[in-house]
Amino acid sequence: MTDLASELRATVTAMLARLPVDTQTPIATPDSAVWDAVVEAGFTGVDVPVEAGGHGGELGDALVVLETLTEAGAVTPYLEHALLASWLAGGVGHSLGDTTGTVAVVDDGTIRRDGDRILLSGTAVGVAHLEEAEVVVVLTTGPDAPVIAVVARGASGVEIEKGTDLRGTSLGDVVFRDTEVMFAAPAPYGIEDLRRRGALAYAVALSAAARAVRERTVRHAAERSQFGRPLAKFQAIQQRLAEMAAQTTLMETAARSAVEASRDPTEARAAIAAAKVVASRYATEVASAGHQIHGAIGFTSEHSLGRFTSALWTWTDRYGSAPDWAGSLAGQILDDGADPWDLIVGTGATGPS
């Protein structure tokens, strides 16, 4: 962790202490006061290029902000806005300014010119934090290369099918029908680059949510008594807690390794795939253990446990499930000729081409 990362963690933690988070599940409303404070502090531009209005920092520093917000249970569009939408737009020197954005992939999209206007058509599925967003940063196919397009959510030709995920966070589908875009440029990134970055961000978020479940469950087991002694004194509970601790540590270690490897594109591919496999694989088990040990009280909407377990259930498939990324790892071995041992120890070697 860099010195900046340590300072960011301390600053965000202090900020959250002044702005307590309501951890009711499903959420009543997103944590707008927390989001406003994050934006005002400039945390949304940590690793955005300077020429696009950011600070030009490292991805790992920005992920520390995400990790701290997630562990506190805050519901904000930080991941989609700061780590994905602003990153995409910043890659072509475009600043989102004071607007809140989210990100969408349009696989079947078309971009065409109509005089001075650039029009986008296509469909994006499962766009997170759509209700809070003022603009949607779209990565779509172009005639020669991928295109980044920035679209106002309320623009003519935008059709939104509203929905929510298990936490109650906005999650919707968007159809663009000859929608005029605010900005468009050839993308320096492909859809796979976005998918990989999104998987890394969600692996970090999943490990933070798992850590929150572990800490709350350990505390509950120590404080709650049954048959005259704390739950933590029962052997079955001790065994379940130990399993949860091991699974959470695996998630944290895999996510940390992937963040460190993200500086090197050669190593990042395998490390991020492995991190998302581990995080998605154990997320539901950690959530189950937390609810088993908490009993009925953990299922009430007012209890904070649900804020984190619903995140663990919801985020396992975001930017690829465990089987998806396991298939990616297998492809590096079977199709690209990577040595399995090199992938395991993280040397980044890819084998013969």
Side-chain angles (χ1 to χ4, degrees):
M1 182 185 299
T2 66
D3 292 339
L4 176 59
S6 300
E7 293 176 8
L8 284 169
R9 187 187 300 280
T11 303
V12 175
T13 299
M15 180 185 72
L16 290 166
R18 299 192 304 271
L19 299 168
V21 174
D22 179 5
T23 54
Q24 176 176 316
T25 307
I27 66 169
T29 59
D31 294 297
S32 56
V34 173
W35 179 239
D36 290 343
V38 168
V39 172
E40 184 178 355
F43 295 151
T44 55
V46 173
D47 79 322
V48 175
V50 174
E51 57 269 24
H55 306 301
E58 294 186 5
L59 172 59
D61 297 331
L63 288 169
V64 164
V65 178
L66 171 67
E67 189 177 25
T68 309
L69 291 170
T70 302
E71 197 169 355
V75 177
T76 73
Y78 185 84
L79 193 157
E80 279 71 24
H81 172 87
L83 295 173
L84 301 180
S86 293
W87 167 73
L88 277 178
V92 290
H94 181 75
S95 172
L96 296 184
D98 296 329
T99 60
T100 297
T102 188
V103 66
V105 173
V106 178
D107 290 306
D108 59 345
T110 58
I111 291 277
R112 68 181 183 90
R113 285 193 173 273
D114 179 20
D116 294 333
R117 302 190 305 160
I118 299 176
L119 305 179
L120 167 69
S121 295
T123 302
V125 177
V127 181
H129 289 282
L130 191 55
E131 282 296 293
E132 298 96 282
E134 299 162 87
V135 298
V136 181
V137 179
V138 178
L139 182 61
T140 187
T141 53
D144 302 310
V147 173
I148 291 172
V150 181
V151 184
R153 191 191 64 177
S156 176
V158 175
E159 300 175 8
I160 298 175
E161 183 177 340
K162 297 180 181 180
T164 59
D165 61 22
L166 285 175
R167 293 198 310 168
T169 306
S170 170
L171 186 74
D173 299 340
V174 187
V175 178
F176 303 97
R177 300 187 189 279
D178 277 341
T179 303
E180 184 174 358
V181 307
M182 302 165 61
F183 171 87
Y189 314 112
I191 290 175
E192 188 60 27
D193 297 314
L194 174 61
R195 179 172 175 264
R196 188 173 294 117
R197 185 179 172 98
L200 174 59
Y202 272 105
V204 170
L206 283 165
S207 69
R211 183 163 57 250
V213 171
R214 179 190 65 197
E215 291 175 355
R216 281 164 172 75
T217 305
V218 169
R219 183 167 60 247
H220 175 80
E223 295 173 351
R224 185 81 170 182
S225 293
Q226 192 73 31
F227 304 113
R229 55 177 176 162
L231 288 176
K233 296 294 185 180
F234 291 88
Q235 186 174 4
I237 298 295
Q238 292 172 354
Q239 181 176 350
R240 201 72 175 101
L241 288 172
E243 291 173 350
M244 175 194 283
Q247 292 162 350
T248 303
T249 301
L250 283 170
M251 294 170 69
E252 292 171 326
T253 302
R256 190 179 307 114
S257 296
V259 172
E260 293 173 357
S262 65
R263 299 186 182 96
D264 183 343
T266 303
E267 294 187 8
R269 183 182 174 193
I272 292 172
K276 192 57 166 64
V277 169
V278 171
S280 294
R281 166 69 177 79
Y282 290 116
T284 53
E285 294 193 22
V286 170
S288 296
H291 278 293
Q292 287 170 356
I293 294 173
H294 273 83
I297 191 173
F299 284 96
T300 60
S301 61
E302 296 84 3
H303 200 284
S304 65
L305 184 70
R307 173 63 56 92
F308 304 99
T309 54
S310 60
L312 292 174
W313 290 321
T314 298
W315 295 342
T316 54
D317 292 342
R318 295 270 173 95
Y319 289 90
S321 64
D324 293 335
W325 285 105
S328 177
L329 284 171
Q332 292 185 55
I333 297 169
L334 300 175
D335 300 331
D336 300 343
D339 188 306
W341 182 248
D342 289 335
L343 292 181
I344 292 170
V345 300
T347 63
T350 59
S353 58

